Amino acid sequence: MRKVITYGTFDLLHYGHVNLLRRAKELGDYLIVALSTDEFNWNEKQKVCYFNYEKRKQLLEAIRYVDLVIPEENWEQKVSDVQEFKIDTFVMGNDWEGKFDFLKEYCDVVYLERTPEISTTQIKENLKNKE
Ligand code: C2G
C-alpha cells in the first residue's frame, strides 16, 4: 500500500485544497493529512483560523480522498511522521517548491501546481467587497 502525506491549515476549505488532496491521493492508496493545530497556526504561521482544529479536521475527514487526519504541531515533525507512518510520498503545493527537499532522504517529494485564483485571502476580500 503506497502511503502519501501532506500538510496544511486548510482553513476556509475550498476547491484549491480539494484539487490538491485529489491529486495527492492519485499518487498512492492511502492519504494522511497533517493538519496544522490552532497553536501551530498562530505561533508559527501567524494565521488566525476561521474554523478551529476540530472543525477543520471534521471537514477534511469528510473528503473522500482523505484516509487519516493527524495534528501538525511543529515544523520538525515531518521526518518522524514519514518514518512512523512509513510514507512513500510527501506532497505539497508548489508554493513550497524546494522547501522540503530534505525529505528526499526518506521518501519521494512531490510539489503540485497550486490551483490559481482561489485562496482564503481572496475569499475574505471578495466577501468584504460584497458588503
Ligand atoms: N493549495 C493549492 N491551491 C490553492 C491553495 C492552496 O494547491 N489555491 C495547497 C497549498 O499549496 C498546500 C495545501 O493546499 O499544499 C494547503 O494549503 P494551506 O492550508 O494554505 O497550507 P499552508 O498554510 O501553506 O501549510 O508544514 C507545511 C504547512 O503546514 C503548509
Side-chain angles (χ1 to χ4, degrees):
M1 174 167 73
R2 286 193 62 79
K3 297 174 80 177
V4 182
I5 196 166
T6 190
Y7 292 71
T9 300
F10 296 98
D11 187 48
L12 284 195
L13 189 67
H14 54 66
Y15 65 87
H17 297 132
V18 174
N19 279 345
L20 189 281
L21 296 170
R22 175 178 48 73
R23 287 173 292 155
K25 183 61 177 283
E26 284 166 2
L27 297 172
D29 314 291
Y30 189 88
L31 174 60
I32 300 176
V33 178
L35 181 61
S36 310
T37 61
D38 298 330
E39 297 75 16
F40 179 62
N41 272 312
W42 177 244
N43 297 330
E44 298 297 326
K45 297 199 265 185
Q46 286 70 48
K47 281 190 173 184
V48 177
C49 289
Y50 185 80
F51 291 124
N52 67 20
Y53 177 82
E54 281 312 313
K55 291 187 179 65
R56 290 183 285 119
K57 181 172 185 281
Q58 187 186 357
L59 286 165
L60 281 176
E61 286 172 340
I63 296 173
R64 70 176 69 182
Y65 310 119
V66 177
D67 296 291
L68 176 68
V69 179
I70 62 171
E72 177 187 30
E73 296 167 301
N74 56 66
W75 293 110
E76 294 73 32
Q77 71 183 74
K78 291 182 177 67
V79 171
S80 54
D81 288 348
V82 167
Q83 291 172 322
E84 180 189 341
F85 290 97
K86 297 181 177 45
I87 298 298
D88 299 288
T89 307
F90 167 91
V91 174
M92 284 304 292
N94 64 359
D95 45 320
W96 293 91
E97 185 84 35
K99 298 285 192 311
F100 302 113
D101 286 356
F102 63 88
L103 289 169
K104 283 181 178 171
E105 198 179 323
Y106 307 95
C107 63
D108 295 340
V109 174
V110 175
Y111 300 101
L112 297 172
E113 276 295 309
R114 274 175 72 90
T115 302
E117 284 107 48
I118 182 72
S119 69
T120 303
T121 314
Q122 187 77 47
I123 294 170
K124 289 178 180 171
E125 269 162 30
N126 291 353
L127 285 172
K128 209 180 292 174
N129 297 341
K130 284 200 165 79
E131 279 166 9

